[in-house]
Amino acid sequence: MEVVITPDYDAISRHAAGIVARLLYKKPNAVLGLATGATPLGLYRELIRLHRQEGLDFSKVTTFNLDEYVGLPADHPQSYHRYMWDNLLSQVNVSPSRVHIPNGMVRDMEEYCEWYEGEIARAGGIDLQVLGIGRDGHIAFNEPGSSLGSRTRIKTLARETVEDNARFFDRDEDVPRHAVTMGVGTIMEARQCLLLASGSLKAEAVAATIEGPITCQVTASALQLHRDAIAILDDQAAGRLKRREYYEWVFRHKESWLR
Ligand code: GLP
């Protein structure tokens, strides 16, 4: 895994946006895998800025989101549908017909999840998947114990995740206990993965992901097997890495072999 350690959150966002923008310039009809949570907000703000100020074009882009809460309608203020439209999609020129966000309200989830996987395949697969990381090392909603070969399906959220999400809901009992999520296997098929992490609360999960064993107890650790995964961290999220000096050394010397 390539590890990029930046000074702060804004630098993570700029670095990640640069990678997304370069992809879109090279492949205007790219398929983007998108994530929710607080971490990618800066990336989305930067993409909106690039769209407005530098004409970054989303008109041919297809998007697939990682996950959605089960039981929340698309227009619920805490749904990931709302999050995506409020924080990115309504502010760039993406075509709504090419936006895919899992539907947490369908009756036959099994059939629906198979269809969602099929849609990704019919779009030609995901070129670049944006990922955040949960405190317990999960990606999307693949909680500890999720099979590293898993596909899109319903997951029961871990207590830790429910607690982390409680701040967004008025009452604890309103916090969804289930989500429909791409599997680790689905994510691993993306041609490139960008894992973003900021702040000391993520430092332990980040260290386990990058330097720990590959284990379903830390589903992000599966990215060690991905041929093109980049972890973009800030100083605090990198705080528990043992080989930090090496990653910084590699980054400093990257320019010379790219030339
Ligand atoms: C949720 C989402 C993940 C996200 C994680 C961390 O669990 N399903 O995709 O990575 O939260 O969110 P945050 O970036 O707010 O810390």
Side-chain angles (χ1 to χ4, degrees):
M1 207 181 315
E2 184 181 338
V3 180
V4 177
I5 302 170
T6 66
D8 55 28
Y9 177 71
D10 287 345
I12 296 180
S13 305
R14 281 195 305 273
H15 192 87
I19 295 174
V20 175
R22 276 195 295 281
L23 170 68
L24 298 194
Y25 288 128
K26 202 166 78 185
K27 185 176 180 186
N29 63 345
V31 179
L32 297 181
L34 299 176
T36 53
T39 312
L41 285 173
L43 160 65
Y44 297 154
R45 274 195 294 271
E46 184 61 12
L47 290 176
I48 293 165
R49 190 193 67 76
L50 289 170
H51 169 67
R52 289 190 181 146
Q53 295 178 4
E54 296 180 27
L56 185 65
D57 182 23
F58 289 79
S59 64
K60 298 189 183 67
V61 167
T62 297
T63 69
F64 284 93
N65 261 80
L66 288 169
D67 46 14
E68 177 60 285
Y69 292 116
V70 168
L72 294 196
D75 62 356
H76 188 284
Q78 295 308 330
S79 77
Y80 286 172
H81 274 78
R82 268 291 282 279
Y83 169 104
M84 284 315 303
W85 283 100
D86 288 353
N87 294 303
L88 176 69
L89 300 171
S90 65
Q91 296 175 67
V92 294
N93 62 335
V94 70
S95 155
S97 63
R98 277 197 271 266
V99 170
H100 305 80
I101 305 171
N103 182 346
M105 298 292 286
V106 293
R107 203 174 278 227
D108 188 342
M109 238 340 145
E110 213 169 301
E111 187 189 49
Y112 176 76
C113 291
E114 216 169 288
W115 173 83
Y116 197 75
E117 289 272 339
E119 284 293 281
I120 296 174
R122 285 184 283 279
I126 292 170
D127 289 301
L128 183 154
Q129 177 66 59
V130 176
L131 296 164
I133 184 167
R135 260 197 306 148
D136 58 8
H138 71 235
I139 42 175
F141 269 131
N142 294 288
E143 298 287 25
S146 294
S147 157
L148 300 185
S150 51
R151 314 299 308 190
T152 304
R153 70 218 182 289
I154 287 204
K155 277 301 286 186
T156 302
L157 305 184
R159 193 188 296 272
E160 220 171 10
T161 305
V162 172
E163 284 166 10
D164 282 350
N165 291 340
R167 66 201 144 118
F168 300 115
F169 292 83
D170 293 338
R171 299 174 312 171
D172 281 0
E173 57 269 37
D174 294 340
V175 187
R177 265 46 176 180
H178 298 92
V180 48
T181 179
M182 278 187 206
V184 182
T186 321
I187 293 167
M188 290 292 284
E189 281 172 12
R191 284 182 271 280
Q192 184 174 51
C193 289
L194 293 190
L195 180 74
L196 315 182
S198 167
S200 54
L201 274 182
K202 301 293 175 68
E204 208 171 307
V206 163
T209 296
I210 296 170
E211 296 177 338
I214 298 169
T215 166
C216 68
Q217 297 306 317
V218 178
T219 52
S221 68
L223 293 171
Q224 291 180 30
L225 290 172
H226 196 284
R227 57 184 293 185
D228 192 358
I230 309 177
I232 310 176
L233 316 171
D234 62 11
D235 187 56
Q236 291 181 325
R240 302 286 292 269
L241 290 171
K242 291 200 177 70
R243 310 238 324 134
R244 175 178 181 149
E245 210 179 294
Y246 175 69
Y247 311 132
E248 289 173 334
W249 163 272
V250 171
F251 190 68
R252 275 202 306 278
H253 288 80
K254 197 173 164 185
E255 285 284 289
S256 52
W257 52 258
L258 283 180
R259 248 184 262 131

